[in-house]
Amino acid sequence: MKNTPVILWFRQDLRLRDNPALIAAHETGCPIIPLYILDDHNSGEWKQGGASRWWLHHSLKALNASLDHKMVFEAGDPLPLLKKLMKETGATEIYWNRCYEPWRIARDKNIKEALEGAKSFNGSLLFEPHTVLKEDGTPYKVFTPFYKKGCLGRAPKPREPQAAPTNLNLYSYRDGTLDDLKLMPEIKWYKQMEQEWQPGEKGAQKRLRIFIEEGLHGYKEGRNIPAGINVSRLSPHLHFGEISPNESWYAAQEAMIVQGCEKDGEHFMSELGWREFSNSLLYHFPNLPRNNLQTKFDAFPWASDDKALLAWQTGQTGYPIVDAGMRELWQTGYMHNRVRMIVGSFLVKNLLLHWHHGEEWFWDTLLDADLANNSASWQWIAGCGADAAPYFRVFNPVTQGQKFDPNGEYVRRFVPELGKMPDKFLHNPWDAPDNVLQYAGVSLGDKYPKPIIDLKASRELALSAFSQI
Ligand code: FAD
């Protein structure tokens, strides 16, 4: 029946291009009810954090505008809400793209069992977790074989991106508005984010274009420089599905040929591969966000130190690159990958604080907070994950700063009180002679904190604790 509407339930696929569920719904020829449900009912402790909610609000606003303001917004438990919408509109079919967080899988399974007309598609991953398994049918735990043998070897080639359908037949149905979801925070801490980001499909397309034109060439090396231009900053757009990984993947492939930057393109594609790997780990090990994959870490003697945790969260540790990273996160909702590794190692291996503290802080403050990437990366940093950094790899924030921010551009941007410090002492101001500190206007312990911990002693303590388990 061409007049019976179908429901298109948007979730982490807030786009019109290359959206398999939307294409399928459109191909029915029936009017489409575009729906978003804010589900804080089933998410348990993984309710979206503050920064994510700010992004989501703007992303939904942009999507609604490109759907002639016909979106229906609801909040609550999806099953009864879907039943109600079906009853009121006569819709019998629901289309959605699959999500892979354990709580969403459980919820969707339940909905599929309860509602006959539910149809799901893959719109968020290049290689769905159940399609990338070892020859014996078990999941990979190590990235390189996962990617090379699994994804690039046995798994089917990723779908080529498809255009957005034209002349969408949208159903008019009055119901809640976006503002009813109350996603925006009461305190306006997001001023700088507004300047730095453009949530939504258009912003995502723009980011990809700029990255391919200006950032991809030199990505392999340049991606380690936090002040550089070589990273894509696509992560929040990918997380919310404003752009498909397929479009990013094939754009890099094309650029490899057109620009002749094969190594850079391949490296970028392998980073998208890490995203697939994290999703595969979460899918096959649903306790990844909470339980150490290597259970011997359950006996690790973590410290408890609220003061140190607060210094870390607020960028007041006295280690400039750590503080720059934590302040970048607070101000912009993003942190460069190299710096995420440095601040993560500092929290876990110098302060000896449980990786859960880092995971939770990132969850609330990152615009790209993603259950798979965040928990897999924290386990990697702590050394307790699959294919993790070995426990003895402790990032030294001074040498990392000197190597990856040699001119101090990044640190000076986020730690302006060290702005006049000469490069030689920027990453270790405590080594500067008094006259240099005076010249730079830095008084340690007053204008900028003294280091909250001794690097060498804390490293040794960590190594001895790690070697005992
Ligand atoms: P690019 O270098 O341009 O990479 C392109 C895309 O590839 C990224 O957008 C991302 O989707 C994917 N990607 C790149 N590196 C990784 C990686 N190591 N693991 C998984 N996917 C990757 N990423 C998130 O998206 N959400 C998180 O919550 C998150 N938490 C992290 C926590 C820690 C402690 C660490 C060390 C890393 C975390 N990452 C997370 C991974 C990585 O830091 C970000 O994906 C990356 O910095 C995003 O910047 P970009 O888009 O400019 O990256």
Side-chain angles (χ1 to χ4, degrees):
M1 285 248 302
K2 293 276 183 229
N3 287 331
T4 311
V6 296
I7 297 172
L8 175 65
W9 181 13
F10 282 102
R11 299 120 63 95
Q12 281 170 301
D13 52 348
L14 306 180
R15 63 175 187 273
L16 303 187
R17 287 163 72 117
D18 194 31
N19 186 327
L22 172 64
I23 291 168
H26 179 64
E27 279 169 358
T28 63
C30 302
I32 296 173
I33 307 171
L35 167 72
Y36 184 83
I37 302 173
L38 178 69
D39 183 0
D40 288 337
H41 180 87
N42 293 289
S43 50
E45 63 179 321
W46 299 114
K47 227 165 95 162
Q48 292 171 89
S52 299
R53 283 172 187 258
W54 173 84
W55 186 286
L56 178 62
H57 176 90
H58 291 286
S59 189
L60 288 172
K61 196 170 168 188
L63 183 64
N64 195 21
S66 52
L67 290 167
D68 293 338
H69 301 277
K70 296 267 173 65
M71 279 189 82
V72 176
F73 295 102
E74 298 283 3
D77 186 10
L79 182 55
L81 289 168
L82 286 166
K83 281 186 178 163
K84 176 174 154 265
L85 187 60
M86 290 168 91
K87 197 166 163 219
E88 286 177 6
T89 61
T92 53
E93 291 183 350
I94 310 165
Y95 292 75
W96 73 64
N97 289 309
R98 289 187 278 279
C99 299
Y100 305 90
E101 289 97 328
W103 69 267
R104 291 192 207 250
I105 293 177
R107 177 199 66 187
D108 292 351
K109 196 165 163 260
N110 195 17
I111 295 175
K112 272 202 170 172
E113 278 164 14
L115 303 175
E116 260 179 31
K119 301 177 197 312
S120 73
F121 302 82
N122 170 22
S124 302
L125 290 179
L126 296 162
F127 309 95
E128 285 194 292
H130 59 271
T131 67
V132 188
L133 296 170
K134 290 197 270 188
E135 270 165 30
D136 65 3
T138 60
Y140 286 99
K141 286 190 177 174
V142 179
F143 174 72
T144 305
F146 165 84
Y147 184 62
K148 294 209 163 144
K149 284 197 193 158
C151 300
L152 302 182
R154 283 194 300 278
K157 217 170 125 227
R159 174 192 76 249
E160 299 223 2
Q162 294 163 286
T166 48
N167 300 324
L168 281 173
N169 178 5
L170 297 167
Y171 188 86
S172 292
Y173 176 78
R174 182 214 50 79
D175 212 336
T177 68
L178 175 58
D179 288 336
D180 294 339
L181 302 187
K182 296 193 172 52
L183 291 164
M184 289 293 276
E186 279 168 16
I187 300 169
K188 293 190 176 163
W189 43 252
Y190 45 78
K191 281 277 160 236
Q192 195 169 334
M193 294 186 191
E194 282 176 337
Q195 286 162 18
E196 306 237 351
W197 300 97
Q198 185 188 348
E201 190 165 8
K202 276 194 194 136
Q205 289 294 330
K206 196 165 146 196
R207 277 268 177 213
L208 178 65
R209 205 175 53 247
I210 293 175
F211 171 66
I212 294 289
E213 284 167 12
E214 297 170 13
L216 184 63
H217 197 92
Y219 176 81
K220 189 166 189 281
E221 300 302 328
R223 63 182 282 275
N224 278 310
I225 308 295
I229 55 152
N230 288 106
V231 288
S232 71
R233 293 175 185 257
L234 277 171
S235 49
H237 299 288
L238 282 165
H239 170 76
F240 286 97
E242 297 166 355
I243 191 163
S244 69
N246 305 57
E247 205 170 341
S248 316
W249 175 270
Y250 283 105
Q253 259 190 12
E254 188 185 297
M256 278 158 65
I257 301 163
V258 177
Q259 299 181 15
C261 54
E262 199 165 325
K263 289 269 171 290
D264 295 317
E266 272 174 5
H267 205 96
F268 177 71
M269 288 161 74
S270 77
E271 292 304 324
L272 292 173
W274 273 99
R275 178 176 179 270
E276 302 291 317
F277 184 52
S278 303
N279 273 281
S280 171
L281 288 177
L282 181 60
Y283 180 84
H284 293 292
F285 306 97
N287 292 325
L288 184 78
R290 277 297 171 219
N291 296 359
N292 300 310
L293 278 187
Q294 295 182 42
T295 48
K296 64 178 185 222
F297 276 79
D298 294 352
F300 190 81
W302 297 108
S304 163
D305 185 342
D306 289 349
K307 227 170 123 196
L309 179 61
L310 185 67
W312 180 81
Q313 289 169 334
T314 52
Q316 296 289 341
T317 67
Y319 287 96
I321 191 111
V322 174
D323 294 340
M326 298 310 292
R327 296 183 198 185
E328 177 184 27
L329 174 60
W330 186 249
Q331 290 166 29
T332 70
Y334 175 88
M335 194 195 301
H336 186 276
N337 180 61
R338 167 64 45 186
V339 192
R340 291 187 204 205
M341 294 196 286
I342 300 170
V343 304
S345 169
F346 187 80
L347 180 84
V348 173
K349 296 186 179 171
N350 292 107
L351 300 180
L352 283 188
L353 294 175
H354 201 297
W355 59 270
H356 287 174
H357 292 297
E359 181 191 33
E360 283 160 18
W361 185 252
F362 273 26
W363 184 254
D364 198 34
T365 52
L366 273 174
L367 291 168
D368 64 27
D370 181 277
L371 198 58
N373 284 353
N374 199 33
S375 36
S377 300
W378 276 102
Q379 293 234 15
W380 184 89
I381 285 289
C384 55
D387 196 13
Y391 72 86
F392 50 80
R393 185 166 178 208
V394 182
F395 287 74
N396 180 318
V398 177
T399 49
Q400 289 280 313
Q402 289 163 341
K403 187 166 175 197
F404 297 111
D405 189 33
N407 306 323
E409 197 184 330
Y410 178 73
V411 162
R412 287 197 181 86
R413 192 184 308 157
F414 292 104
V415 190
E417 58 270 42
L418 297 179
K420 278 183 76 188
M421 201 69 177
D423 291 351
K424 188 172 172 204
F425 298 110
L426 184 67
H427 295 286
N428 50 332
W430 56 88
D431 286 334
D434 286 347
N435 63 332
V436 173
L437 286 171
Q438 218 171 3
Y439 159 80
V442 175
S443 131
L444 289 180
D446 175 18
K447 198 171 172 199
Y448 183 70
K450 288 182 182 160
I452 59 166
I453 202 151
D454 178 75
L455 280 187
K456 196 160 169 260
S458 60
R459 181 177 187 275
E460 276 161 16
L461 200 67
L463 293 187
S464 122
F466 280 114
S467 66
Q468 278 166 31
I469 55 166

